[in-house]
Amino acid sequence: MGNSAAGLWCVASGLPVYKLVLATNANDAVVRAVRDAMLERQPMAHTVSEAMNTQLPYNFERLLHLAANGDCSRVRAWMAAVDRNEPLQLEEDVLFWLRERLLVGAADNEKTLKCIRSTWAEYAYAIDPHTAVGLEVLAVMRQPGGSLAEDGGPPLAPVCLATAHPCKSGLPRPACPRARVGWRRWRRRRARHYARARTGPRDCERSSRAPGCPVNGTALVIACEPTS
């Protein structure tokens, strides 16, 4: 959620971003707030993407502050109601501001783990569970009929960042390919893959700005000009 807040500050500062894709796990209070206009705390579900396991991300208050055009008195009143465990109906202007800038979605444990396996199988690249949440939600949105489907409009380049190493998740290997196939063999396999196709995710260990990997489940999607 902090990454989404930072992304929206960048957009407010002039970064030419088409949409931010806010993706989370089963703890989807923010997704429901943007989708259904109702903000309320929920019992916390335990998932493999542990950094997203929260009843309500505190950074959402910062999003509300942006959406309310810096009106602190409104934000204080809203958060006081939430702290009393009262459902909060988002006001029309705030909801419009959020929906203009955000696309939201959630992925459960099964889809998260499936995304980790399929990304490794296709790209020989290991991702952490938070990255998998973002990639899964983004993939669904890019399917026909989805929010970011190719429909004849300007092409969109999903620019995604990953900040967590897969071996930190504690998941069974092959989430960490070095342990499963050995460091040298893994490097050779990955080099062969990128010699064949340069369009896959790059090495997020060397660059936190590598495309193809969201930041803890958040993906920036930027409209770009067609390339020859």
Side-chain angles (χ1 to χ4, degrees):
M1 190 69 230
N3 300 299
S4 298
L8 285 174
W9 276 112
C10 291
V11 172
S13 301
L15 183 68
V17 173
Y18 171 62
K19 294 283 187 180
L20 284 119
V21 178
L22 193 158
T24 189
N25 57 23
N27 299 290
D28 60 349
V30 173
V31 171
R32 289 184 287 108
V34 176
R35 184 188 61 205
D36 304 329
M38 184 65 67
L39 178 64
E40 58 183 329
R41 295 185 184 276
Q42 61 179 6
M44 189 183 73
H46 294 280
T47 73
V48 294
S49 46
E50 295 181 355
M52 298 177 181
N53 293 346
T54 178
Q55 291 180 309
L56 181 64
Y58 64 84
N59 275 294
F60 192 62
E61 184 175 350
R62 294 181 172 133
L63 267 64
L64 293 177
H65 184 263
L66 277 171
N69 199 28
D71 190 335
C72 297
S73 60
R74 293 176 73 190
V75 177
R76 279 195 295 267
W78 295 333
M79 298 314 297
V82 172
D83 288 340
R84 294 192 297 269
N85 291 321
E86 299 175 4
L88 175 67
Q89 181 77 36
L90 294 185
E91 298 177 16
E92 197 65 32
D93 62 323
V94 171
L95 194 60
F96 176 81
W97 191 95
L98 292 171
R99 288 176 175 174
E100 277 285 294
R101 293 158 177 81
L102 293 175
L103 296 172
V104 297
D108 59 23
N109 270 348
E110 181 180 355
K111 292 179 179 178
T112 299
L113 295 173
K114 181 180 178 181
C115 184
I116 292 174
R117 291 191 293 268
S118 63
T119 301
W120 170 248
E122 183 173 356
Y123 297 113
Y125 188 85
I127 57 175
D128 71 284
H130 311 88
T131 298
V133 168
L135 284 178
E136 175 62 26
V137 169
L138 184 59
V140 171
M141 289 184 177
R142 301 191 78 188
Q143 292 176 356
S147 306
L148 296 173
E150 296 290 341
D151 56 0
L156 299 177
V159 179
C160 310
L161 316 179
T163 56
H165 193 282
C167 294
K168 292 175 62 178
S169 66
L171 291 177
R173 288 26 177 185
C176 184
R178 298 181 191 179
R180 190 169 81 101
V181 301
W183 169 252
R184 292 182 178 176
R185 182 181 172 191
W186 175 65
R187 296 276 296 207
R188 289 195 299 269
R189 178 176 178 180
R190 191 179 62 174
R192 286 196 301 270
H193 168 77
Y194 289 123
R196 293 192 302 268
R198 296 286 181 177
T199 58
R202 299 176 184 174
D203 190 347
C204 292
E205 297 170 52
R206 295 187 179 181
S207 172
S208 62
R209 300 200 293 181
C213 311
V215 181
N216 286 356
T218 302
L220 291 177
V221 182
I222 303 175
C224 66
E225 294 296 330
T227 57
S228 57

